[in-house]
Amino acid sequence: MILALMLALSAAADPAPREVRVYGDWAVGCDNRRKCHATSLPDETASDEPVGDGNLDVSIKRDGARISELKVQLAFTTKIPGVDFDSVRWIAIDDSRLDLRLSGKDGVYDLNPADSAKLVAAMRGKSKLALLDRRRNEVGAASLRGLPQALGYMDHQQFLDGTIAALARPGLKAVNHFTVPPMLPAPVVRVAPQPQRPPRTLDAQELARLQESDPCPRSASEEPRAPPSYFRLDERSSLVMIASRCGGYNPTTVLFILRENGSVRLPRFWHPDGGEKLYDADLPDLWWDSKARKLNSFGRGRVLADCGEIQEYAWDGDRFELTHSASMPVCRGSRDYITTYRAEIRLMDGP
């Protein structure tokens, strides 16, 4: 038992972003804090009557705490002609209506923990979930093919296999410290308080010199480039973001750190998967969120943005550290990205 606990703790200690898996018409993943998220995907079978119409997303989430409640959300992916979202009232599983009434806003319906548990239990081994209007007409559907495997993956990652809290195959084992190892401390990124001074900027000659580091060649018909953006990171450092000539749906930005002493350098990035490295323009579609004080990246797998990877970085005074990562590995119409890593952000003068 001691060896089993040591192995469990070792698995729980992995700080790197986790993978997102696909089972049938479901994608599922868990982050480094054991929070798991499964989401439905539009059906891709060649049947003349496919299961799931692509208009409805079903999302199942459960935190990594030893005792944690389920959260199920049902959401229409688009406005459907002739469908009044306020008229949606019921859930049906394989054409059998459940004793659960829905209420929501703008086509999004959040179930309470008790109803979430009832719905997940009703979906086991079934093929389709549908929403019905007040006249009991079907207005949206999602496939349940692959859901048992997705739920089983959540159970395994949360050390709940064979327990009374298991989602795929509930058992008789109690949920306690013998079955679920303690959660290790969350990764912490410490940031400086919000600086009050304006960012340092570049003169025309300095900017022209840095623009020459653009990885994409100059074009004869090149449009005038957008002006650079400047942001104050802390009392010593500012960030300049220079638009690249590289375009497409994953535009590239050239980044530099400007110090108050006049020095200019490439920023360093820290990622738990690969450690520290210099920025080399491999993070697509970057933008700075001034309110959250985070550098955001969104690498789209295709122009529809229904697949790809989202990353967020915070400045710790010396480098950008990953604080959040989310992924959708398959391009199948779902924009319900699954979180694979998260870190806490604290002020440097905090505890």
Side-chain angles (χ1 to χ4, degrees), residues 25-26 38-40 56-61 70-74 91-94 96 98 100 111 115-131 141-151 154 167-169:
D25 297 324
W26 282 75
T39 188
S40 63
L56 181 67
D57 279 341
V58 183
S59 174
I60 302 171
K61 295 181 180 180
L70 276 178
K71 296 179 181 179
V72 173
Q73 182 183 84
L74 312 173
I91 303 173
I93 304 294
D94 286 355
S96 177
L98 302 182
L100 295 174
L111 277 62
D115 285 349
S116 294
K118 291 178 182 177
L119 178 58
V120 170
M123 289 192 293
R124 293 191 199 109
K126 301 300 193 294
S127 63
K128 184 180 76 170
L129 178 150
L131 296 189
S143 169
L144 302 181
R145 185 175 66 95
L147 177 61
Q149 295 91 330
L151 296 178
M154 291 175 63
L167 300 176
R169 291 178 295 276

Side-chain angles (χ1 to χ4, degrees), residues 3 93 188 213 248 252 300:
L3 177 59
I93 304 294
V188 174
S213 63
T252 300
R300 297 164 179 80

